Amino acid sequence: MGATEINNALQSNVLEDRIIDMITERLQSGEKFPTETQLAKDLGVSRTALRETLSPFEASGIIVSKQGSGRYVQLPDVSVQIVDSWRILLRAKPDMLLSFLEIRSMLEISSLGKAIERADAAQLQHMGLQVRIMKKKAARGEAFVHEDREFHKTLFISTGNIMLEQLLTAFWDLFESSPLNKQHSDLVEVADKHERMLEAFTRKDLSQLENLMNDQFADARYRIVVALNK
Amino acid sequence: MGATEINNALQSNVLEDRIIDMITERLQSGEKFPTETQLAKDLGVSRTALRETLSPFEASGIIVSKQGSGRYVQLPDVSVQIVDSWRILLRAKPDMLLSFLEIRSMLEISSLGKAIERADAAQLQHMGLQVRIMKKKAARGEAFVHEDREFHKTLFISTGNIMLEQLLTAFWDLFESSPLNKQHSDLVEVADKHERMLEAFTRKDLSQLENLMNDQFADARYRIVVALNK
DNA sequence: TACCATTTGTCCGTATGTATC
DNA sequence: AGATACATACGGACAAATGGT
């Protein structure tokens, strides 16, 4: 009796460790996991118990399971989880959006230096395209949420830091999910500002770029504060 | 037959929505969740099914279950999840630590301005205490990981941005979990640098503070690069 | 196209361990 | 000490998606 309890307690740790080892092996190779039934038999536990152990790894995104196919290991993307936990929070406390904006501005502005150094021609061209579409849409009175995001995304992707990309993607998603962000601003002015940002970027004029970006965040902040007080 | 399938498909969505609503209600009040058995009966599903639906919310930390007590709603802390997904990644690809360091330096340095504005006397005093302990330990040749972390934590907590606190906590945890970070540096010099940082902070000399902090991150980066090439 | 084995998803009932009050 | 409530485990059944024949 006492032996089985100890045995069970040990097994659950061993089980988790075994899973972690299997993950580390497969992170490089991309090899598939054994099937549930097989693995359960190998490790000497029930399917339910195995699934419970697997569950946190699937929640973290390291293991992805496809019905009818199997389980796979991949680079985890935290943006999904960040958005999942913080979106509900944002729904309950809308003023949190200001805290998010603060962090977003810190990351985007302080990544400009690296972006200027590392950006390649294709990325510059892509940003140029977005600016042209923005100006065209602005002239017609159309919004350009997609192009705006694409512009900034190209900017912070060019830093080459994958984690940074994941974080900022999360913040952009959170912003798009908030109704407070739907306050429309002067389209022509925003499009124009992006044109000047691109210009400063091409000239590698960091301090000018930082100033423009700072302005943009100050505007966004102001619009949110106004929306909160309504 | 066809009806039950549709019914099931609908139920799972409805179920999730109901849970989200119950969470938003309780985020403010802190009220307890109904018991599993009760809730399963009310929503017309099995206990296992209910637990499956609840599981992602528990993974995100919004719902916390206490054995023998019940389920509670609380502010989600993403640092746990970030650490969970990225730690395994870091074990497989140690050079990722440089990307983490880059983000950490962006956040810490660009939060200094806000910290200088908002820090109160108690926080200043706390940092002073850490510096004194650091110097004492450095003189004896002892490491001071805890005090170092406490110093920086007080710094970024004084910005008053809870989300920022969660993010930076995650990065510090990741660093402590990496063996690459165990490279010891010149203790006396590090302690001294912290003393000068505190001095600049008290004088509200932002640019001096930024310079010192930049130096510190450059050192850290250098030590990691060296450790990677061994 | 249609069929089929494989694999994961969901559900059920049940039993026992264990923490809380 | 006892009632309550969650944690963990097992086995079995069927649904649903996938991939290949």
Side-chain angles (χ1 to χ4, degrees):
Chain A
M1 276 295 191
T4 22
E5 284 155 27
I6 294 168
N7 210 355
N8 280 334
L10 281 178
Q11 270 196 355
S12 57
N13 286 331
V14 169
L15 227 167
E16 206 174 10
D17 283 349
R18 287 286 303 271
I19 304 282
I20 293 187
D21 288 341
M22 297 182 68
I23 290 174
T24 2
E25 288 166 19
R26 285 167 177 75
L27 241 181
Q28 317 266 6
S29 65
E31 195 194 336
K32 234 170 70 170
F33 250 64
T35 69
E36 283 184 0
T37 344
Q38 184 61 41
L39 201 53
K41 211 178 74 183
D42 287 355
L43 302 175
V45 292
S46 71
R47 234 186 106 206
T48 332
L50 175 64
R51 286 177 61 89
E52 288 281 328
T53 316
L54 250 27
S55 147
F57 295 101
E58 292 179 356
S60 83
I62 297 176
I63 294 182
V64 178
S65 62
K66 282 185 186 167
Q67 189 174 168
S69 173
R71 281 196 167 74
Y72 305 85
V73 176
Q74 62 175 214
L75 279 191
D77 181 358
V78 289
S79 69
V80 188
Q81 305 158 45
I82 295 184
V83 173
D84 277 352
S85 3
W86 278 350
R87 185 167 34 197
I88 301 181
L89 182 61
L90 196 55
R91 206 163 100 179
K93 299 181 178 265
D95 60 311
M96 287 281 179
L97 199 64
L98 287 174
S99 302
F100 291 142
L101 184 71
E102 198 171 71
I103 301 181
R104 182 152 81 82
S105 72
M106 288 179 183
L107 288 177
E108 289 205 31
I109 293 176
S110 53
S111 66
L112 290 176
K114 298 266 163 41
I116 282 187
E117 290 172 22
R118 303 181 193 167
D120 59 29
Q123 286 163 334
L124 274 174
Q125 200 187 352
H126 188 64
M127 287 193 284
L129 177 63
Q130 305 310 316
V131 169
R132 280 197 299 280
I133 303 181
M134 280 186 198
K135 295 204 76 167
K136 201 171 289 178
K137 287 196 173 178
R140 287 203 302 263
E142 264 178 67
F144 42 79
V145 189
H146 175 71
E147 287 76 15
D148 193 357
R149 179 165 178 160
E150 197 63 24
F151 182 92
H152 288 267
K153 188 178 178 179
T154 313
L155 218 45
F156 61 71
I157 279 187
S158 63
T159 61
N161 189 321
I162 311 177
M163 316 297 164
L164 182 65
E165 186 188 335
Q166 290 187 11
L167 283 183
L168 280 172
T169 303
F171 283 111
W172 275 85
D173 283 345
L174 281 169
F175 265 77
E176 288 186 356
S177 80
S178 167
L180 290 179
N181 195 38
K182 296 292 177 291
Q183 309 295 320
H184 59 291
S185 39
D186 187 333
L187 293 175
V188 178
E189 194 191 320
V190 175
D192 190 58
K193 192 160 273 174
H194 277 84
E195 189 176 34
R196 279 182 289 157
M197 281 173 47
L198 180 58
E199 191 196 25
F201 192 87
T202 318
R203 280 205 328 269
K204 303 206 176 201
D205 184 344
L206 181 58
S207 66
Q208 169 74 0
L209 186 52
E210 283 177 345
N211 284 337
L212 289 165
M213 186 79 78
N214 252 322
D215 279 1
Q216 210 207 0
F217 277 112
D219 280 359
R221 191 190 145 79
Y222 175 73
R223 286 202 308 279
I224 293 173
V225 172
V226 169
L228 276 170
N229 290 333
K230 270 200 300 204
Chain B
M1 280 295 189
T4 22
E5 286 156 25
I6 294 169
N7 210 355
N8 280 335
L10 282 178
Q11 269 193 357
S12 57
N13 286 329
V14 169
L15 226 169
E16 207 174 11
D17 284 349
R18 286 286 303 269
I19 304 282
I20 292 187
D21 287 341
M22 297 180 67
I23 290 175
T24 1
E25 287 166 22
R26 285 168 178 74
L27 241 180
Q28 316 269 2
S29 64
E31 195 193 336
K32 233 171 71 170
F33 250 63
T35 68
E36 279 184 2
T37 346
Q38 184 62 39
L39 201 53
K41 213 177 74 182
D42 288 355
L43 302 176
V45 292
S46 75
R47 250 187 80 208
T48 333
L50 176 65
R51 286 176 61 89
E52 290 276 329
T53 317
L54 249 29
S55 145
F57 293 101
E58 292 180 353
S60 84
I62 297 176
I63 294 181
V64 177
S65 63
K66 283 183 185 167
Q67 190 173 168
S69 171
R71 282 195 166 75
Y72 304 87
V73 176
Q74 64 173 27
L75 277 192
D77 182 357
V78 288
S79 67
V80 188
Q81 301 151 253
I82 295 184
V83 173
D84 278 352
S85 358
W86 279 349
R87 185 167 34 197
I88 301 181
L89 182 61
L90 195 55
R91 207 163 99 177
K93 298 180 180 263
D95 59 313
M96 286 281 179
L97 198 64
L98 286 175
S99 301
F100 291 143
L101 184 71
E102 196 171 73
I103 301 181
R104 183 153 83 82
S105 73
M106 288 180 182
L107 287 176
E108 289 205 33
I109 293 177
S110 54
S111 66
L112 289 175
K114 296 268 161 43
I116 281 187
E117 290 172 21
R118 303 182 194 165
D120 60 29
Q123 287 164 334
L124 275 173
Q125 201 187 351
H126 187 64
M127 288 192 286
L129 177 63
Q130 305 311 316
V131 169
R132 280 197 301 279
I133 303 181
M134 280 184 199
K135 295 203 78 169
K136 201 171 289 178
K137 288 196 173 178
R140 285 204 301 264
E142 266 177 64
F144 41 81
V145 188
H146 175 72
E147 288 75 17
D148 192 357
R149 178 165 179 162
E150 197 63 25
F151 181 92
H152 288 266
K153 187 178 180 181
T154 314
L155 218 47
F156 62 71
I157 278 187
S158 63
T159 61
N161 190 323
I162 311 176
M163 316 297 164
L164 182 65
E165 187 188 333
Q166 290 188 11
L167 283 182
L168 281 172
T169 302
F171 283 110
W172 275 86
D173 284 344
L174 281 169
F175 266 76
E176 288 186 356
S177 80
S178 167
L180 289 180
N181 196 38
K182 296 292 177 287
Q183 307 297 318
H184 59 291
S185 38
D186 186 333
L187 293 174
V188 178
E189 192 192 321
V190 174
D192 191 58
K193 192 161 272 174
H194 278 84
E195 188 176 35
R196 279 184 287 156
M197 281 172 47
L198 179 59
E199 191 196 25
F201 192 87
T202 318
R203 282 205 327 269
K204 303 207 176 199
D205 185 343
L206 182 57
S207 66
Q208 168 74 0
L209 186 53
E210 282 177 346
N211 284 337
L212 288 166
M213 187 79 75
N214 251 322
D215 280 359
Q216 210 207 1
F217 277 112
D219 279 359
R221 191 191 143 78
Y222 175 73
R223 286 203 309 278
I224 292 173
V225 172
V226 169
L228 276 171
N229 290 332
K230 270 199 299 206

